[in-house]
Amino acid sequence: MRIDILCLFPEMFVSPFAHSIVRRAEERGLVEVISHNIRDFAHDRHATVDDYPYGGGAGMVLKPEPVFEAAEYVRHSTRSSDSPVVLLTPGGRLFSQGIAAELSAHSHLTLICGHYEGVDERVAEHLATDELSIGDYVLTGGELAAMVVVDAVVRLLPGVLGCHESAADDSHADGLLEYPQYTRPEEFRGWRVPPVLLSGNHAEIAAWRRRQSVLKTAARRPDLLNNVTLSDKERAWILESL
Ligand code: JE8
């Protein structure tokens, strides 16, 4: 997969992607992430990328021309005519594991990151194929949101995760929160690891973990249970815990 990121601060992407699974995926040739400076596509002497909002108001708005030209440059150099062009914006669809999975099925993605007060609306209307938001809080721009999307998408690409860290085990993959994990020592400051995990009984361990996942989800994120099929026994666990 190739991912092109159009933004005003391409340096922001260097460190996060240099220290993560994303780098390992790049080294293995499974993904290529390229960030472009929208300013390089400005035409005037001062490389102007923003301007005052029509109608007045605070701050500056990213001009459409350099954004369109950056996207067209990417489209031509990748020869991809119908790959997703995602605008990160607070008003977008809420990003989710399901959307990450959809995006991971494409061989090319373009992500557009605004800054300042946002991006001229014609980018959303006539260039982007999708608008995404990573959550209901205010960021200073779309760059961090784009990093979140790249991270979530790349780890779903075939071969990126080893079989021991398979995405099938993820929280949200089966719709439930993850069960608690423990490592050595067996006793830390008087707090013991649950004995079942030391028992060597794999069936009992699996059952304990499933129960922990179900009860934790019911307690903390009952909304997630609307999209999960539980057995009668699992529903009984929840009722007992209330
Ligand atoms: C952004 C963002 C996502 C999320 C994304 C892009 C571009 C109009 N507002 C602009 C005013 C307050 C500051 C805003 C800065 N900004 C924020 C996001 C996002 N995706 N989940 N939260 N915030 C831009 C400019």
Side-chain angles (χ1 to χ4, degrees), residues 41-234:
F41 297 86
H43 286 297
D44 63 311
R45 225 159 42 81
H46 302 289
T48 309
V49 291
D50 57 347
D51 207 339
Y52 301 97
Y54 275 120
M60 302 294 272
V61 174
L62 197 50
K63 292 164 66 61
E65 305 96 315
V67 179
F68 271 80
E69 289 183 31
E72 283 154 7
Y73 165 80
V74 164
R75 194 188 293 147
H76 291 132
S77 51
T78 59
R79 291 189 201 81
S80 58
S81 51
D82 57 3
S83 61
V85 177
V86 176
L87 177 67
L88 286 311
T89 174
R93 289 199 287 158
L94 190 59
F95 185 58
S96 63
Q97 191 62 24
I99 296 173
E102 276 169 34
L103 293 176
S104 73
H106 293 269
S107 56
H108 181 229
L109 299 178
T110 302
L111 306 181
I112 303 175
C113 310
H115 219 91
Y116 315 121
E117 280 308 298
V119 184
D120 186 286
E121 187 63 17
R122 287 166 288 193
V123 169
E125 283 188 359
H126 303 295
L127 180 61
T129 59
D130 208 350
E131 297 175 58
L132 296 179
S133 163
I134 61 161
D136 294 338
Y137 33 80
V138 182
L139 303 173
T140 55
E143 293 85 358
L144 283 165
M147 290 176 209
V148 167
V149 170
V150 169
D151 192 272
V153 167
V154 166
R155 63 188 294 290
L156 294 178
L157 298 175
V160 168
L161 298 184
C163 55
H164 296 292
E165 42 188 9
S166 146
D169 295 340
D170 288 348
S171 169
H172 293 283
D174 65 1
L176 296 174
L177 299 180
E178 279 163 23
Y179 51 78
Q181 300 275 18
Y182 296 86
T183 186
R184 288 190 288 185
E186 199 177 309
E187 181 180 335
F188 169 67
R189 298 188 178 177
W191 301 304
R192 302 198 65 85
V193 172
V196 60
L197 299 178
L198 312 172
S199 69
N201 183 331
H202 298 296
E204 251 188 71
I205 291 171
W208 181 87
R209 285 177 166 170
R210 177 73 184 177
R211 184 178 146 93
Q212 293 293 316
S213 278
V214 168
L215 293 183
K216 187 173 199 169
T217 307
R220 298 193 185 180
R221 293 292 309 279
D223 57 299
L224 296 178
L225 293 175
N226 295 324
N227 309 303
V228 175
T229 329
L230 297 179
S231 68
D232 290 343
K233 187 161 116 197
E234 289 164 346

